[in-house]
Structure formats: C-alpha cells, structure tokens
C-alpha cells in the first residue's frame, strides 16, 4: 500500500478546510507509515492523533519518543516535531484514515445497521446467511463488527465499543480485504454517527430497525431528538436503505430514507416488500412465513423470542439486493445463535427455563418480557437486571417498571457500574420498583442472585437474566473484572439440578 508524505496530509486537511495551522519543520517528504491515537501503538513513521477529553501531553511525548514523525491536534503542544492543528480532530480522523487506507471500504460489500434494539441479533442473522452462502461457494466468510464481537479475518475478540473509532474501523476494513473477505456487516451506533466515526464511508446497504428513547445523558445525547436524528444520518451515506415498517416515528424515518437511491421495506404489514406473517411457536422454535417478490415460504428460528422475527426480516431485506438463494437464507436463519442474545437453558423436566440476553433499554425489555409471557403463559417470571453507570439514565425508571410489571420477583444486580457506586444505582432502581409492590431483592453479585433464586424455585419459572448476555466480565471504574457469565452460571445450576432429579 502506497504511503503518503506529511505534506500530502496537510494538503488533504486544507482541501477539506480543516486546518487551522501547521508546521512541518522542513520534513514535508517524511512518509507516514502508521496512524494511531494510542501512544502504545506508536512507532517509527507514525502520524499521531491527539484526541479525547482525557488526552494528556504525556501521551504525545510517549508517541514521539517511540518514533512518531508528527501529530494532528486541536492544540499546539509546543513539542518540536511536525504538527497539523485542526479545528475538529474528530472530524479530521475519518478523513485521515480514509486517505491513509486508500478508501479500502470500496473493496467491500458494506452493510450497516442502526436502531435502538436488535442490531446485534440482526447483524449475526446476516452473517449466518452470508456465511452459509459464501462458504458453500468456496469464499471467505464475512467480517463483522458488533457490540458482541469483532471479527475481521485477523482480529477476533470481544468488543467493548459498538462502532470502533475511525482509525480502528479502517484497520478492520483493511484486514478483511487482505484476508479475502467480500462482505462486512456492522452495527452503527448513534454515537458513531454523531461523532464522525463513519464519515466518508458509503454503505451499500443501511438498515434502520427501530427507535425508542435511549442514550440520553450528559455523556451521550442531550435529548431524544438529538439521539433520533443522529441515527437518521445513516441514510445520508447508503445506496440502499432498508426500513422497518413497525418502527415508531415511521413517517420521519421514511422521509429520511429517501436520501438513498433505493428503499426496501420490511415488517409485519402486507404492504412491506419483505413481509412476515403466520408467526407461531413450535416447541422452543419460532415459525413464520416470509413473502416477497422472489419467494413465499416458511422459515424457522431456533432461538426464542417472537420479536426476533422482525430481526430476521431485517436480515432478509439487507441481503435482498445480493440475490442470495433462498436455501441459504433458510439455513442461515435456522442455525444463527448470536452470542448472548436469547441464550436459552432448560431443565430436563422443563420446570425452569432460563434466558440470558443483552437487553438493556426500555424497548428491548418490553419485547423480551412481553414475548416470554406470551410464549410461556403458565410460567412465573423471575428477573435479574441492573444499569450501567454514568450513562443512559432514563433507562433506570423504564426498565424497572417493565421488569416489575411482568415479574413475580425482581433481583437488582450489578451491570457494569463503571464510574458510579453500585449502591447508588441500586437505590435508584429500588425507588421505582418498591411502589409497584412486586417482591424484590438487592444482591450486587449476579452469580449469588442467580444461585439464590434458582434454589428457591418451586413452580414452573422463566428466569430472565438481562443486560450482560454472554459477558465474562463486569466493569467497575475503568477495569473489566473477569467473572462467570449469566449463562455459564445457570448452565452449571441446571446440570446439578438435572443430576439430582435423575438420581431420585
């Protein structure tokens, strides 16, 4: 890959009217071998990007000591190395990354998804369908960037950020192309759209799943309007837009979608291009039909949750333009098991059904609890949830009220308290649950709460463990503390229960 000199980056930023000042100190021809904002990744030939509210001059000194040939910043730090001072470093990052990586995204079929609920599940439905088709045709499996996992053909790791910053994002694109991948599907968060992480990229397909009030806090969006319109920005950079006709604020969503060259609709209404109907349960499987101008047939999902039909329809809509044969759509949807999404565990006597899911906002709670009540009407519900610290404060009331409305008992547990004391978060959740009259208990350890509840079950019960899914860590402060996941814990308890029952 051709490397550009420092002077080319100055010209790039000037062309985009981003430069406030610069001084290359006579090193205009110095080639840039790497770009990063992480001082630990800096080395010879690095163009270092100074970003973040917590950025310290010491980070820049570390990068220079490691061999950085220059830096990009909103502040002149007075260090004697070439520098480019920009008006907005966040806006400059995707421009720099796009230039450094030679618009590598153009070599991929790029699918982006946004929405309040269902992004992770849908992105893995898409991946399952695509991979079934690609592997059958001797091709590389698709790359995926999600809030669950990052896989680009080189990197395969747990994700801590829904949509990576532009520098990492382009690195993933480059890795995927280098490995021979032709497709990459990714979640696109409202924060990524608002703070320029996906600027300069054109998605082949952009999917809008739904919208509900969320991510409103001093650290995220000041109000719902800002959150909603940040998500709508996706349509400004897609060729084909896919819209869920079941979404709230549909008129505004459809109006924004007209920015795309083509619009495909999906949903539970007959007028949808990808229409889902005849939805019902068959044991633990969800059965439904999809009708479009290419086929009309029955499909199955092997994960629970009637609401997942909408996610399946979204996946089919996203892949509509690629003419994937229907047998791969069927096989992909059936085998898809997104990690941490509606993971089901049952005792052999079916007395206890446990669900581990990442549900973490009002809309996902309403869908999850409502679906479980509809699917298992004769079962009591015992729920476990908490709220992350320092963000999305509106969730605390809405999630508490939904859990209380459906549950026989609620356990308030830790869910990545981060910068806030668990006791403070728990007290706030308790203030919303207590007036409902539902039985509840505060136990910080998720494992202790699950173990205690499991040992007290006497009637057929659905245990809903929300928020952490398959996570094997919990965040306190800035540290990620290893722990047993909800699913691992309940699977262990079920094994012990089944062994005891068989021995009687």
């Amino acid at each position: 890959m051709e490397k550009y000199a420092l002077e080319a980056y100055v010209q790039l930023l000037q062309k985009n009217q981003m430069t406030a000042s610069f001084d290359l100190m006579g090193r205009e021809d110095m080639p840039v071998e790497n770009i990063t904002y992480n001082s630990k990744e800096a080395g010879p030939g690095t163009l270092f990007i100074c970003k973040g509210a917590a950025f310290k001059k010491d980070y820049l000194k570390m990068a220079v000591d490691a061999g950085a040939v220059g830096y990009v910043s909103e502040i002149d730090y007075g260090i004697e190395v070439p520098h480019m001072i920009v008006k907005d470093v966040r806006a400059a990052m995707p421009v720099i990354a796009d230039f450094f990586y030679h618009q590598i995204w153009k070599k991929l079929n790029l699918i982006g998804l946004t929405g309040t609920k269902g992004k992770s599940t849908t992105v893995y439905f898409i991946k399952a369908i695509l991979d079934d088709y690609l592997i059958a045709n001797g091709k590389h499996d698709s790359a995926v960037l999600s809030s669950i996992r990052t896989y680009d053909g080189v990197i395969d790791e747990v994700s801590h950020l829904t949509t990576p910053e532009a520098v990492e994002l382009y690195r993933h694109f480059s890795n995927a192309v280098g490995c021979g991948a032709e497709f990459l599907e990714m979640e696109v968060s409202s924060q990524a759209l608002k703070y320029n992480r996906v600027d300069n990229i054109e998605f082949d397909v952009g999917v809008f799943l739904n919208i509900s009030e969320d991510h409103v806090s001093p650290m995220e969006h000041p109000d719902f309007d800002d959150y909603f319109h940040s998500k709508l920005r996706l349509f400004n950079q897609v060729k084909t837009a896919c819209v869920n006709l079941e979404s709230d604020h549909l008129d505004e969503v459809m109006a924004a979608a007209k920015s795309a060259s083509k619009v495909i609709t999906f949903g539970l209404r007959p007028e949808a291009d990808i229409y889902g109907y005849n939805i019902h349960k068959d044991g633990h499987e969800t059965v439904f039909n999809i009708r479009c101008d290419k086929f009309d047939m029955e499909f199955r999902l092997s994960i629970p949750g009637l609401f997942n039909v909408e996610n399946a329809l979204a996946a089919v809509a996203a892949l509509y333009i690629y003419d994937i044969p229907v047998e791969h759509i069927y096989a992909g949807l059936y085998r898809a098991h997104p990690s941490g999404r509606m993971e089901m565990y049952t005792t052999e006597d079916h007395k206890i059904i446990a669900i581990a899911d990442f549900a973490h906002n009002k809309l996902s709670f309403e869908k999850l609890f409502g679906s479980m009540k509809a699917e298992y009407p004769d079962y009591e519900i015992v729920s476990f949830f908490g709220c992350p610290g320092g963000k999305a404060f509106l969730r605390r009331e809405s999630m508490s009220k939904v859990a209380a409305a459906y549950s026989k008992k609620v356990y308030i547990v830790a869910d990545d308290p981060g910068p806030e004391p668990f006791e403070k978060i728990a007290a706030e959740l308790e203030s919303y649950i207590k007036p409902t009259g539902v039985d509840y208990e505060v136990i910080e350890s998720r494992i202790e709460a699950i173990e205690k509840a499991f040992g007290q079950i006497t009637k057929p019960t659905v245990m809903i463990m929300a928020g952490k899914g398959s996570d094997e860590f919990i965040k306190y402060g800035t540290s990620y503390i290893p722990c047993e996941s909800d699913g691992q814990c309940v699977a262990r308890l079920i094994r012990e229960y089944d062994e005891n029952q068989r021995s009687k």
Side-chain angles (χ1 to χ4, degrees):
M1 185 171 66
E2 181 185 359
K3 306 297 183 182
Y4 298 116
L6 284 172
E7 185 177 31
Y9 286 89
V10 169
Q11 293 171 353
L12 171 72
L13 294 171
Q14 288 178 325
K15 180 182 177 181
N16 285 274
Q17 299 181 327
M18 293 181 167
T19 309
S21 65
F22 67 93
D23 184 356
L24 298 186
M25 304 176 64
R27 302 175 194 172
E28 287 82 0
D29 295 333
M30 183 74 72
V32 173
E33 304 288 343
N34 177 40
I35 57 172
T36 186
Y37 57 83
N38 184 346
S39 57
K40 296 178 182 179
E41 295 178 355
T46 296
L47 179 60
F48 188 71
I49 301 169
C50 307
K51 81 152 189 84
F55 184 81
K56 300 176 182 178
K57 185 176 180 178
D58 287 344
Y59 300 153
L60 174 56
K61 289 180 179 178
M62 290 170 60
V64 172
D65 289 344
V69 296
Y71 69 92
V72 178
S73 174
E74 294 175 8
I75 298 171
D76 185 340
Y77 285 100
I79 296 177
E80 291 299 306
V81 291
H83 53 269
M84 307 165 206
I85 309 305
V86 295
K87 303 168 187 175
D88 184 341
V89 74
R90 281 199 168 275
M93 281 174 62
V95 172
I96 292 170
D98 196 49
F99 186 63
F100 180 84
Y101 284 101
H102 299 266
Q103 296 189 307
I104 192 73
W105 53 269
K106 289 186 175 181
K107 296 182 180 180
L108 290 164
N109 292 290
L110 201 56
I111 302 171
L113 300 92
T114 199
T116 301
K117 178 195 178 299
K119 296 187 296 296
S120 298
T121 300
T122 304
V123 86
Y124 277 95
F125 281 173
I126 291 171
K127 180 170 175 58
I129 295 169
L130 274 175
D131 289 356
D132 195 84
Y133 168 69
L134 293 167
I135 293 170
N137 286 276
K139 296 185 177 183
H140 199 286
D141 60 348
S142 63
V144 62
L145 306 179
S146 79
S147 57
I148 299 175
R149 200 154 196 88
T150 294
Y151 168 70
D152 63 15
V154 176
I155 296 170
D156 187 1
E157 62 187 15
V158 172
S159 181
H160 293 302
L161 194 64
T162 300
T163 310
E165 294 282 4
V167 172
E168 283 91 359
L169 186 58
Y170 273 83
R171 189 178 301 157
H172 293 312
F173 292 163
S174 182
N175 286 346
V177 170
C179 287
E182 298 178 9
F183 286 83
L184 185 147
E185 51 277 352
M186 61 180 286
E187 297 180 42
V188 186
S189 68
S190 58
Q191 295 284 292
L193 289 159
K194 179 176 181 176
Y195 293 115
N196 310 103
R197 294 179 201 164
V198 294
D199 284 6
N200 286 52
I201 296 167
E202 184 177 44
F203 293 90
D204 295 283
V205 178
V207 182
F208 191 96
L209 292 166
N210 44 56
I211 191 70
S212 178
E213 192 167 54
D214 196 19
H215 293 288
V216 175
S217 76
M219 294 176 60
E220 301 164 292
H221 299 277
D223 51 40
F224 172 75
D225 191 63
D226 185 74
Y227 170 61
F228 181 30
H229 287 94
S230 293
K231 285 193 172 292
L232 292 180
R233 288 175 61 176
L234 178 67
F235 291 129
N236 295 328
Q237 52 194 109
V238 304
K239 295 177 184 176
T240 298
C242 300
V243 176
N244 184 5
L245 294 186
E246 310 308 314
S247 176
D248 289 345
H249 303 278
L250 181 60
D251 289 345
E252 195 167 354
V253 175
M254 289 298 293
K258 291 179 181 178
S259 299
S261 300
K262 181 181 179 67
V263 178
I264 297 171
T265 60
F266 62 93
L268 309 179
R269 307 180 190 184
E271 62 267 31
D273 297 316
I274 311 297
Y275 168 49
Y277 67 100
N278 192 26
I279 303 167
H280 59 282
K281 294 290 291 186
D282 182 5
H284 291 307
E285 296 181 357
T286 301
V287 185
F288 60 102
N289 284 66
I290 298 178
R291 185 176 73 207
C292 63
D293 61 0
K294 296 179 181 179
F295 56 81
D296 184 349
M297 61 176 285
E298 182 181 278
F299 293 83
R300 287 176 175 260
L301 298 176
S302 54
I303 62 173
L306 296 172
F307 56 86
N308 275 316
V309 171
E310 285 185 35
N311 297 326
L313 297 173
V316 174
L319 297 174
Y320 179 87
I321 64 171
Y322 296 109
D323 292 320
I324 305 292
V326 71
E327 60 266 26
H328 297 295
I329 297 174
Y330 184 95
L333 288 178
Y334 186 74
R335 72 176 177 83
H337 286 84
S339 177
R341 296 294 181 183
M342 297 304 292
E343 291 185 351
M344 173 181 278
Y345 306 85
T346 62
T347 56
E348 290 176 354
D349 59 9
H350 300 292
K351 181 179 178 180
I352 302 172
I353 297 171
I355 303 291
D357 190 74
F358 279 113
H360 60 276
N361 55 42
K362 179 184 178 183
L363 183 57
S364 60
F365 261 45
E366 288 174 340
K367 295 285 188 179
L368 171 58
F369 281 85
S371 186
M372 290 301 97
K373 189 65 177 177
E375 293 177 51
Y376 303 101
D378 298 326
Y379 283 63
E380 294 180 345
I381 292 177
V382 174
S383 59
F384 309 77
F385 83 101
C387 282
K391 62 180 182 179
F393 301 119
L394 294 178
R395 294 177 184 173
R396 298 181 183 184
E397 179 178 5
S398 59
M399 288 166 56
S400 297
K401 290 182 175 179
V402 172
Y406 285 94
S407 302
K408 177 74 173 179
K409 182 169 183 176
V410 174
Y411 286 87
I412 299 172
V413 294
D415 182 351
D416 294 339
E420 283 190 80
F422 166 74
E423 294 77 12
K424 178 178 178 295
I425 299 171
E428 188 172 348
L429 301 180
E430 186 178 3
S431 72
Y432 298 122
I433 293 174
K434 189 173 183 179
T436 69
V438 72
D439 188 16
Y440 74 92
E441 190 170 351
V442 178
I443 301 178
E444 182 171 2
S445 167
R446 300 178 74 92
I447 304 307
E448 290 180 16
I450 293 169
E451 289 176 338
K452 180 174 183 178
F454 195 96
Q456 295 179 343
I457 290 174
T458 58
K459 298 180 180 179
T461 299
V462 175
M463 299 174 65
I464 297 180
M465 303 166 294
K468 292 294 289 176
S470 57
D471 284 350
E472 296 179 34
F473 62 83
I474 187 161
K475 186 178 182 182
Y476 281 92
T478 58
S479 300
Y480 292 89
I481 311 301
C483 65
E484 190 176 35
S485 72
D486 293 350
Q488 290 169 340
C489 175
V490 80
R492 168 173 55 82
L493 296 173
I494 285 176
R495 284 194 301 271
E496 295 171 359
Y497 174 90
D498 288 340
E499 288 172 2
N500 290 334
Q501 293 298 109
R502 287 194 296 268
S503 65
K504 289 181 179 179

